[in-house]
Amino acid sequence: MDNSISLNKFISDTGYCSRREADNLISTGRVMLNNRPAALGNRYKPGDTVEVDGSIITAAKKEKRVYLALNKPPGITTTTELHIKDNIISFVNYPKRIFPIGRLDKDSEGLILLTNDGDIINKILRADNNHEKEYIVRVNKPIDNAFIHQMSSGVPILDTRTLPCKVQPMGRQTFRITLTQGLNRQIRRMCEHLGYAVVGLQRVRVMNIRLDKLALGKWRYLSDAELSALMESISDSTKVQSPAKPAPRQRKGAENREQVDKSKAAKPATKATKPASKATKPPVKEGKPQTGKKEEKSWKREKPAKKSTQDRKGQHTRPGKNTGKEKKNHENKKERRQGAEGSFKNYRSKGRR
């Protein structure tokens, strides 16, 4: 049976840092596995020796799990980098190495959890797991129903759109908001997009853990009941991002939006062709000659009609001069008439005899 575990998990289990930070340590060459530089993907087996910055980290050093709740005051930076002024680790000054679960803006205050259990961090923070974090926010001017609706429906920030969330008004300039994701300065950016500025922000709940009456700047251990409920809540949560779901019919994904944009862009071209077809109609109505074989035939058909009307008018008004064949035909007809008349006279004259 294989008893090995991933190296980053082993480092995290010792309480040295989170698994993500362990990956950074490994990739920067600060971790040695059995006296050789470690690489991402290495696994730890019982009996292996692991060193971080020259210090040996072994399974024997694995410490008891620690879970703290801190009411962070404004001005404290959520980072494990000890060289940064007013970092949260130095502020708490816990005797064992711990790290925060997630972040809380430097200007914000309220509940933040700290632990040396690297396994639960991603389970709590992953947006796919839909774990709630609740805040009370105060802005610089009165809010209205339109603001509440827009905030709860999602706001475009950081090249994405925030997930739908719960928003409840609490006062003229105060509201309560519950999120399941944690984008960088998310609430402040959402308010700024809608024309508001945040003047006070306090986190009051993370999942089942509440701030309650914990004084500003103080911390406490999670109770057994809180820890039990927390572990039960994350038992079905994943530590890695779930594979992308197929895009539904609509964009709701980026590809469909591009298709919609292309179809919209194509519409003006179709509109532009319509006036061109209309522009060809007026010359036909005016009777002007058109280019093309079909148009020439239609024009030739109109001339015989005009000649026939003029000929009919000429028969009842003034006869036109006959020349050529028409003159000869006229003379022949006259001769025939004369001949016919002469024969009739001769007949009459003979009859009289």
Side-chain angles (χ1 to χ4, degrees):
M1 181 177 178
D2 186 10
N3 294 327
S4 66
I5 59 174
S6 61
L7 182 58
N8 61 352
K9 184 179 187 306
F10 169 77
I11 297 174
S12 173
D13 287 346
T14 65
Y16 190 88
C17 62
S18 67
R19 294 180 69 171
R20 181 177 298 180
E21 290 175 331
D23 285 336
N24 292 334
L25 294 174
I26 294 170
S27 61
T28 54
R30 298 168 60 184
V31 180
M32 301 288 289
L33 177 61
N34 295 328
N35 298 321
R36 293 182 181 181
L40 294 175
N42 284 161
R43 300 186 68 81
Y44 170 85
K45 299 186 296 295
D48 288 344
T49 302
V50 179
E51 298 179 32
V52 179
D53 294 335
S55 299
I56 297 178
I57 306 295
T58 63
K61 288 190 174 183
K62 189 172 181 179
E63 299 175 336
K64 183 180 178 180
R65 295 288 184 258
V66 175
Y67 305 93
L68 307 180
L70 167 70
N71 188 352
K72 185 189 88 66
I76 299 300
T77 304
T78 308
T79 180
T80 58
E81 299 294 334
L82 301 181
H83 65 276
I84 295 179
K85 184 180 178 181
D86 297 327
N87 66 83
I88 193 170
I89 301 300
S90 299
F91 177 79
V92 175
N93 196 26
Y94 192 74
K96 298 180 180 180
R97 185 175 178 85
I98 56 175
F99 36 89
I101 300 178
R103 297 179 58 85
L104 193 57
D105 297 339
K106 182 177 181 179
D107 299 331
S108 304
E109 63 180 81
L111 179 63
I112 186 167
L113 304 180
L114 299 100
T115 184
N116 59 358
D117 185 357
D119 284 341
I120 72 169
I121 294 179
N122 286 337
K123 289 183 177 181
I124 293 176
L125 299 180
R126 187 71 62 190
D128 294 348
N129 295 330
N130 296 316
H131 296 315
E132 294 183 343
K133 296 180 288 293
E134 186 177 327
Y135 304 80
I136 294 178
V137 186
R138 180 175 175 81
V139 290
N140 62 331
K141 57 184 179 180
I143 58 177
D144 53 19
N145 291 333
F147 172 83
I148 297 297
H149 175 73
Q150 289 176 303
M151 288 286 287
S152 60
S153 301
V155 177
I157 61 171
L158 299 174
D159 299 327
T160 186
R161 190 176 188 86
T162 59
L163 297 175
C165 58
K166 302 174 185 177
V167 183
Q168 299 175 326
M170 296 183 63
R172 192 163 174 265
Q173 297 176 224
T174 307
F175 63 94
R176 184 186 300 269
I177 182 170
T178 304
L179 305 177
T180 57
Q181 62 182 150
L183 301 178
N184 184 24
R185 299 176 67 85
Q186 179 173 342
I187 297 175
R188 296 180 187 273
R189 293 179 189 273
M190 292 171 70
C191 292
E192 288 172 5
H193 181 81
L194 300 179
Y196 290 75
V198 173
V199 296
L201 191 153
Q202 181 189 44
R203 183 156 64 190
V204 296
R205 179 173 65 90
V206 175
M207 299 175 64
N208 64 295
I209 313 300
R210 296 185 177 276
L211 186 63
D212 289 336
K213 298 181 180 181
L214 183 61
L216 187 65
K218 301 297 182 179
W219 61 266
R220 64 174 177 85
Y221 291 103
L222 298 188
S223 67
D224 291 340
E226 288 176 325
L227 189 56
S228 177
L230 177 65
M231 293 303 176
E232 183 178 354
S233 298
I234 65 175
S235 59
D236 295 330
S237 301
T238 59
K239 293 181 286 186
V240 295
Q241 188 172 359
S242 59
K245 297 179 181 179
R249 297 178 181 177
Q250 80 115 267
R251 188 222 194 230
K252 281 180 180 174
E255 296 179 356
N256 292 342
R257 266 213 299 264
E258 290 177 0
Q259 292 175 1
V260 172
D261 293 340
K262 288 180 181 178
S263 64
K264 289 182 179 179
K267 287 184 179 179
T270 58
K271 292 181 179 178
T273 57
K274 291 182 180 179
S277 62
K278 291 181 180 178
T280 59
K281 293 183 180 179
V284 177
K285 292 182 180 179
E286 294 174 3
K288 293 182 181 180
Q290 302 294 315
T291 58
K293 293 183 179 180
K294 292 183 179 180
E295 293 175 352
E296 287 180 1
K297 290 181 181 180
S298 62
W299 177 249
K300 289 179 181 179
R301 283 198 298 270
E302 292 179 1
K303 288 185 178 180
K306 291 184 179 180
K307 276 190 173 183
S308 61
T309 55
Q310 290 177 359
D311 292 343
R312 285 196 299 270
K313 289 181 180 180
Q315 292 175 4
H316 299 288
T317 56
R318 294 176 60 186
K321 294 182 180 182
N322 294 326
T323 57
K325 292 182 179 181
E326 293 180 358
K327 185 175 182 179
K328 290 180 181 181
N329 293 335
H330 179 69
E331 290 175 355
N332 292 336
K333 289 179 182 180
K334 188 175 181 181
E335 289 176 359
R336 286 196 294 270
R337 283 197 301 271
Q338 289 176 354
E341 291 175 356
S343 62
F344 181 72
K345 289 179 180 180
N346 292 335
Y347 174 79
R348 292 181 64 185
S349 63
K350 289 179 179 180
R352 288 178 182 177
R353 291 177 185 175

